[in-house]
């Protein structure tokens, strides 16, 4: 099994959630959490109203919630601001190599996506169920390391 964070674009979000749920029910993958996100024209990411606020989502789904919370900033801040600086310094990777940066770039301005935490034995199963969609994946362990690096590099709230 491969623990991944997947971002699905180019498909109707409710359909994506139905496909993920069906694959989970069939035992083809383990769906741990999923959220629909929207990125506005200015680059700000927000959760679909059904997911609730970021804090509530993070409490219910701590693994995926930490990533979604980090991504809620504008994409330019994530890619060029303090969060990237702390990630870059901690991981010693270029911005193009960072898993979080890659995932952030997959949700275009004005676009909608489904972000999910899954454990999948075969990537082809999800891909085959969503023809025409774009499925971006990053290993959960890489994303988790970067989220932790961002937390460690964040200024203290006094």
């Amino acid at each position: 099994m491969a623990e991944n964070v997947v971002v699905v674009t180019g498909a109707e979000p409710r359909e994506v959630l139905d496909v993920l749920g069906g694959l989970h029910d069939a035992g083809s993958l383990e769906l741990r959490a999923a959220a629909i996100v929207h990125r506005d024209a200015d680059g700000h990411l927000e959760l679909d109203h059904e997911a609730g606020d970021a804090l509530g989502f993070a409490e219910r789904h701590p693994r995926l919630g930490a990533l979604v919370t980090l991504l809620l900033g504008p994409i330019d801040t994530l890619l060029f601001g303090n969060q990237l600086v702390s990630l870059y310094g901690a991981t010693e990777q270029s911005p193009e190599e960072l898993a979080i940066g890659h995932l952030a770039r997959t949700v275009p301005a004005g676009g909608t996506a489904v972000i999910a935490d899954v454990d999948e034995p075969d990537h082809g199963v999800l891909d085959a169920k969503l023809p025409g969609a774009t499925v971006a994946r990053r290993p959960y362990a890489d994303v988790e390391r970067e989220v932790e690096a961002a937390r460690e590099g964040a200024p203290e709230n006094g």
Side-chain angles (χ1 to χ4, degrees), residues 112-138:
T112 300
V114 173
I115 299 177
D117 175 5
V118 299
D119 196 351
E120 53 186 343
D122 179 0
H123 298 168
V125 173
L126 179 58
D127 295 346
K129 292 286 188 179
L130 296 168
T134 300
V135 181
R137 287 180 178 80
R138 285 296 194 216

Side-chain angles (χ1 to χ4, degrees), residues 36-59:
I36 297 173
V37 295
H38 310 281
R39 187 174 301 285
D40 67 20
D42 294 328
H44 292 88
L45 195 74
E46 55 187 47
L47 284 171
D48 183 83
H49 70 293
E50 290 182 22
D53 64 26
L55 183 59
F57 183 80
E59 286 176 359

Side-chain angles (χ1 to χ4, degrees), residues 88-150:
Y88 183 76
T91 63
E92 298 180 358
Q93 291 179 308
S94 72
E96 294 76 28
E97 294 173 316
L98 290 169
I100 293 174
H102 172 79
L103 295 173
R105 285 189 301 271
T106 63
V107 184
T112 300
V114 173
I115 299 177
D117 175 5
V118 299
D119 196 351
E120 53 186 343
D122 179 0
H123 298 168
V125 173
L126 179 58
D127 295 346
K129 292 286 188 179
L130 296 168
T134 300
V135 181
R137 287 180 178 80
R138 285 296 194 216
Y140 181 79
D142 292 351
V143 172
E144 186 175 46
R145 271 193 300 278
E146 291 177 18
V147 167
E148 194 57 39

